[in-house]
Amino acid sequence: MGDWDIEKDYKPLIDGVDSCSDDSPIKTDGVVCGPVMRLKEVDYDDMVWRGSMLLVVRDAFDPSSPRAPKVEYNYTPSGESDISGSGSGSTFEGKLFHTDYFGDDNANHSIFQFYRYEIELPLGDVEHTCKYSINGETEPHFMFYVPAKTQNFNTIAYSCNGFSLAVDSTKFKGTLWYDILQKHSKVHYHVMLGGGDQLYSDAIKLYSPRVKKWVETNDPIKKRTMKVDDLFRREMGNFYLKEYLEWFGYGYWKGSTPKSRTLQRLFPVAMSTIPSVNIWDDHDTIDGFGSYPDRLMKTPVFSTLGNVSYKYYMLFQHHVSIDETQAHLKDKHWILSKNDGEFIKQKSHSVFTRIGPSIAMLGLDCRTERKLKSILPKSTYEVTFQRLNDEIKKKKFDHLYLMLGVPIAYPRLVILEYIFSSPLLYPIKYLSKKKVVAQGLVNEFNGDVELLDDLNDHWCAHDHKKERNNLIAALQDWGAKHGVRITILSGDVHLAAVGRFRSKLHRHHLITSQKDEKENEEILSNAEEDLRLMFNVISSAVVNTPPPDGMAKLLQSKNHIHKFDYETDEDSVPLFKTNPDQKTKRKEDCFLNSRNWSDLIPIENVLNNEYLNNNFKVEIGDHVLPGMVIDGQGFDVKNKDAKDMENPLYPVTEKGIMVTIHVEKDRKSAESESTFYSFPIPNLSKSSEKLSHKGAKHLLNPT
């Protein structure tokens, strides 16, 4: 990465990752957050890359005469020895788009000014590097990469970027953001997709006095009717503003105990050098938001929490004020819902952009309109698929990355839903609420079992089955019709897994003819022609603690082959046959409960990058077994017959994608090394006007 020396410049920033002081790191003046880079869209008609940069300034200038910090940049082909020579003196123009106040009243507050720098850069014949400075000062990481106009993006996907309130963070001595930046220096990531929970703001119930008082109110009537006045709302705003400034600006966070705190100083570094596209999930607002009963969601306190957190989500993660008509409601990268949400009185903001000539991404906003019994209304699905139809007509693409905060191909845990919501638990829940027995069993909001909102969040939850299956069928039909391979990216569950939909195989005990055997062989040997093949890459968490081994065992025990319909099987890929130490074997080969992040690299970029090429050791036409990749040795199995129905080989195709989940080797090591678990996703080489979904359960029209 040019003059960026990872070891020299950034290894010191991992010191103290497991602790931080009680004092807020927010500076008294100057730039207190940013630069934060965001990708908005890539226009392959005009050959233009569009994005934005966010800088938040505190009390630095006279509020009556604001002046944006000066941002200069140089834009030159990557790898040029004198990168400062070409384009010197060009500037990005800053716009003051929001002013915020922190404090109790106008006589005792700090002023924070939000500046957005709109960026438009031409796509060139080769990858370019954009280096920038702020008020004449620069850092080695003040740079980002723009791929060539014929080059598809190298993409990161991550989620759960923070700790839960009571986690003992001292058990973690490293940070996977160091691993990400090390890989970035060799790979050149062009975008990172934040799949939700980019920060954990559950601490509002501890550090906002009025919210804390509401949480601790036992009288259900008082809790349901407590009003939110201007001071209450301002206090909520103070919390989210401070939480974002500390986390996005400094990587600083503290939870409920002296051991639940962290200093992830490399997270802000990553945001300044890899442009982001984000969606949000519950912890970006408060744990479980949207998956509690409507009577709780409608209360003034809870609905206000949603609306205030939405404001700051848009400010920090999308560089937009909700008071701006153009940026908030008209920019063409948005896919807006037709109506406002019932609890968050705003339109849901899904995001669409091309990330290469033949790759597109759709980030679906599944939180703004979420209710206990629905994730998105029918009208939002309609406008979303209409947008996909419009985009594919403009210019064909081969792959679609679909960001869903919560996994959609995941083991069913419906039995736990029934247990946790059973009337038989009422006495225990009552005693837990009174702290007589089983403390921590129920949540503070409405006394339900603490884990019930997590289960209700899932697409496989009882109340979401029909909606889930209709979405899957619609995705399969759309992808088959247009010859687009769809890959779903999800997080939320704090472990690594890969769900899979694929054409049905005849099981050994059901094979009755040579025709059955031939059909099996065709499906196993020609994955690029499988119209139903769709992976759900589940990468979570990049920071938060993983669940105990028992959760991986439970999920593995539930990992049966499900019949989505008569022609489609659903299961999980046995990707993790060996532990990240690269030595010991795993029984739970479909679920790995260690911290992780993922990337998706076009095969063409793998072959053209010395580091990646030496790592994977693949060529077009190879067939490889999903699993661990050892640096310098490649895949464990390559170019063998794909006879294993449960774990077939997948082809390396010219227009394919290499997916890797990078899993932390040792949480006690500050080196933050990770192990590659990889597999190729082939492009879809055929199309079909419509697929059959006969036999599908919970489907509106299973034809």
Side-chain angles (χ1 to χ4, degrees):
M1 193 177 288
D3 55 357
W4 185 343
D5 188 326
I6 296 290
E7 293 287 325
K8 174 178 173 292
D9 295 326
Y10 295 99
K11 192 170 184 180
L13 295 182
I14 65 177
D15 293 339
V17 70
D18 58 340
S19 64
C20 59
S21 69
D22 282 329
D23 299 328
S24 175
I26 302 173
K27 297 188 301 183
T28 57
D29 63 11
V31 176
V32 294
C33 183
V36 177
M37 300 301 306
R38 173 180 176 240
L39 172 66
K40 291 172 61 176
E41 62 168 342
V42 187
D43 187 334
Y44 285 96
D45 291 325
D46 295 335
M47 291 298 170
V48 174
W49 184 103
R50 295 189 178 96
S52 62
M53 175 192 294
L54 172 69
L55 293 176
V56 183
V57 177
R58 179 179 188 178
D59 290 345
F61 308 111
D62 179 359
S64 63
S65 180
R67 290 176 294 149
K70 186 176 183 179
V71 178
E72 296 182 286
Y73 72 95
N74 306 314
Y75 188 60
T76 58
S78 298
E80 282 197 359
S81 57
D82 183 16
I83 200 167
S84 63
S86 177
S88 179
S90 299
T91 61
F92 296 131
E93 296 299 321
K95 174 186 177 182
L96 176 64
F97 70 97
H98 178 72
T99 300
D100 219 309
Y101 303 90
F102 183 93
D104 295 331
D105 53 51
N106 291 333
N108 182 27
H109 62 235
S110 296
I111 300 172
F112 294 92
Q113 298 166 336
F114 288 68
Y115 292 94
R116 180 177 63 239
Y117 297 77
E118 299 287 357
I119 300 173
E120 287 197 4
L121 297 169
L123 298 174
D125 293 330
V126 297
E127 180 191 76
H128 275 59
T129 301
C130 183
K131 283 196 168 187
Y132 58 88
S133 65
I134 299 172
N135 289 335
E137 298 182 1
T138 189
E139 297 286 348
H141 58 274
F142 283 8
M143 62 185 296
F144 59 95
Y145 295 103
V146 175
K149 58 188 176 184
T150 58
Q151 181 185 12
N152 289 302
F153 283 46
N154 297 329
T155 302
I156 287 175
Y158 75 96
S159 69
C160 299
N161 182 44
F163 285 117
S164 300
L165 277 179
V167 168
D168 182 357
S169 64
T170 63
K171 294 180 178 179
F172 300 89
K173 303 299 181 182
T175 170
L176 285 178
W177 288 107
Y178 183 51
D179 185 48
I180 288 171
L181 291 172
Q182 285 182 309
K183 302 294 193 300
H184 181 46
S185 69
K186 303 169 185 175
V187 174
H188 295 187
Y189 293 116
H190 303 117
V191 66
M192 61 180 181
L193 308 180
D197 299 342
Q198 275 70 255
L199 84 166
Y200 275 61
S201 54
D202 308 321
I204 191 169
K205 62 187 181 183
L206 300 177
Y207 302 125
S208 169
R210 288 176 173 83
V211 175
K212 188 173 187 291
K213 178 182 177 181
W214 177 80
V215 167
E216 294 173 349
T217 298
N218 292 322
D219 187 325
I221 296 178
K222 289 183 178 179
K223 203 164 198 171
R224 189 166 60 247
T225 58
M226 185 179 291
K227 300 298 182 184
V228 177
D229 58 17
D230 289 343
L231 284 177
F232 199 161
R233 189 179 184 93
R234 180 181 293 181
E235 188 178 282
M236 290 182 187
N238 283 345
F239 172 83
Y240 285 109
L241 174 61
K242 183 171 181 284
E243 191 85 347
Y244 266 109
L245 290 174
E246 290 178 344
W247 186 240
F248 275 43
Y250 304 90
Y252 172 98
W253 178 90
K254 63 179 181 179
S256 60
T257 72
K259 289 188 175 182
S260 57
R261 55 184 61 191
T262 189
L263 195 58
Q264 302 274 330
R265 289 181 288 185
L266 290 178
F267 171 54
V269 171
M271 288 195 298
S272 69
T273 190
I274 311 173
S276 295
V277 178
N278 295 329
I279 59 174
W280 68 328
D281 206 24
D282 57 338
H283 294 284
D284 296 281
T285 173
I286 195 169
D287 185 20
F289 189 92
S291 291
Y292 295 112
D294 289 0
R295 63 181 179 275
L296 172 62
M297 297 298 305
K298 288 179 179 178
T299 61
V301 173
F302 222 67
S303 61
T304 303
L305 278 172
N307 282 278
V308 174
S309 62
Y310 175 91
K311 167 187 172 180
Y312 288 96
Y313 161 67
M314 295 301 295
L315 283 171
F316 282 92
Q317 300 199 41
H318 294 293
H319 311 173
V320 169
S321 166
I322 60 176
D323 297 321
E324 296 181 282
T325 300
Q326 176 64 39
H328 184 228
L329 297 175
K330 294 186 178 180
D331 278 358
K332 61 183 181 180
H333 55 276
W334 298 126
I335 302 176
L336 301 177
S337 60
K338 291 184 178 179
N339 302 303
D340 289 353
E342 185 167 342
F343 313 121
I344 296 176
K345 302 299 183 181
Q346 298 285 347
K347 296 183 184 298
S348 67
H349 279 61
S350 297
V351 186
F352 178 90
T353 183
R354 308 276 176 143
I355 49 174
S358 61
I359 301 177
M361 64 78 48
L362 167 63
L364 202 57
D365 180 351
C366 295
R367 194 57 56 177
T368 303
E369 296 180 279
R370 180 183 286 265
K371 301 171 65 177
L372 178 60
K373 296 191 176 183
S374 70
I375 297 171
L376 290 169
K378 181 181 177 182
S379 59
T380 299
Y381 288 115
E382 289 174 348
V383 297
T384 300
F385 277 95
Q386 183 59 54
R387 176 62 176 272
L388 291 177
N389 289 333
D390 293 343
E391 292 291 342
I392 200 75
K393 288 177 183 177
K394 289 179 186 176
K395 192 179 292 288
K396 173 74 166 67
F397 48 88
D398 299 315
H399 290 267
L400 174 67
Y401 299 160
L402 172 61
M403 297 168 65
L404 298 175
V406 179
I408 200 167
Y410 200 67
R412 281 76 166 148
L413 298 173
V414 177
I415 185 63
L416 293 180
E417 292 180 62
Y418 287 126
I419 292 173
F420 291 159
S421 58
S422 170
L424 297 176
L425 277 184
Y426 285 173
I428 299 175
K429 286 160 59 176
Y430 176 80
L431 293 173
S432 176
K433 191 174 180 180
K434 296 295 184 181
K435 300 183 179 180
V436 176
V437 298
Q439 292 189 34
L441 175 67
V442 299
N443 67 57
E444 309 100 316
F445 303 132
N446 66 343
D448 278 345
V449 174
E450 175 64 36
L451 292 176
L452 187 58
D453 66 284
D454 294 313
L455 296 173
N456 288 335
D457 244 13
H458 279 237
W459 287 92
C460 294
H462 174 76
D463 288 325
H464 299 318
K465 280 184 178 179
K466 183 179 291 187
E467 184 175 350
R468 168 194 184 268
N469 289 358
N470 276 284
L471 175 57
I472 291 168
L475 290 170
Q476 283 192 328
D477 289 344
W478 190 88
K481 179 178 180 179
H482 298 287
V484 175
R485 180 72 71 202
I486 299 173
T487 299
I488 301 168
L489 307 176
S490 302
D492 183 76
V493 292
H494 300 177
L495 49 74
V498 178
R500 173 175 56 190
F501 299 93
R502 57 176 174 169
S503 290
K504 180 199 70 176
L505 293 166
H506 301 283
R507 302 296 144 188
H508 288 301
H509 64 286
L510 296 177
I511 293 177
T512 59
S513 65
Q514 289 185 342
K515 179 184 176 184
D516 292 344
E517 292 182 351
K518 185 177 180 181
E519 287 180 355
N520 274 6
E521 187 165 341
E522 287 180 353
I523 292 171
L524 292 169
S525 302
N526 300 287
E528 63 270 35
E529 296 184 0
D530 189 347
L531 294 165
R532 301 173 185 271
L533 182 63
M534 186 164 61
F535 294 98
N536 185 183
V537 180
I538 303 164
S539 179
S540 168
V542 69
V543 170
N544 209 347
T545 186
D549 292 342
M551 178 56 74
K553 292 178 181 178
L554 173 63
L555 293 170
Q556 189 76 26
S557 71
K558 298 291 183 181
N559 181 43
H560 311 301
I561 295 175
H562 296 275
K563 298 293 183 183
F564 177 75
D565 56 37
Y566 289 153
E567 302 298 329
T568 308
D569 285 350
E570 177 189 344
D571 64 357
S572 296
V573 177
L575 190 65
F576 311 105
K577 294 184 177 296
T578 306
N579 278 311
D581 62 9
Q582 302 181 353
K583 299 175 182 178
T584 57
K585 300 297 182 182
R586 287 183 61 80
K587 292 182 179 179
E588 298 76 37
D589 56 7
C590 293
F591 305 93
L592 182 47
N593 51 320
S594 295
R595 300 197 299 180
N596 63 87
W597 60 282
S598 63
D599 62 21
L600 298 91
I601 311 295
I603 294 298
E604 58 185 349
N605 295 354
V606 170
L607 300 178
N608 292 327
N609 181 284
E610 182 178 1
Y611 165 73
L612 293 173
N613 201 11
N614 289 338
N615 192 73
F616 290 110
K617 292 189 177 301
V618 294
E619 298 176 356
I620 303 297
D622 285 347
H623 284 69
V624 298
L625 183 71
M628 182 180 292
V629 173
I630 305 296
D631 188 18
Q633 299 179 32
F635 286 90
D636 181 48
V637 176
K638 185 169 72 171
N639 294 331
K640 293 185 179 180
D641 292 336
K643 298 297 185 183
D644 186 347
M645 291 192 295
E646 309 307 325
N647 199 20
L649 280 64
Y650 287 102
V652 178
T653 61
E654 187 174 355
K655 295 182 179 180
I657 305 292
M658 186 66 75
V659 177
T660 299
I661 301 181
H662 301 263
V663 182
E664 186 175 40
K665 286 185 180 180
D666 182 2
R667 66 175 65 177
K668 296 180 181 179
S669 170
E671 297 300 316
S672 305
E673 293 180 342
S674 65
T675 292
F676 283 55
Y677 294 92
S678 306
F679 66 100
I681 297 179
N683 59 292
L684 185 53
S685 62
K686 60 187 294 186
S687 61
S688 176
E689 190 62 29
K690 187 171 177 59
L691 301 179
S692 169
H693 296 293
K694 288 183 178 180
K697 298 179 181 179
H698 314 290
L699 203 61
L700 290 177
N701 298 301
T703 58

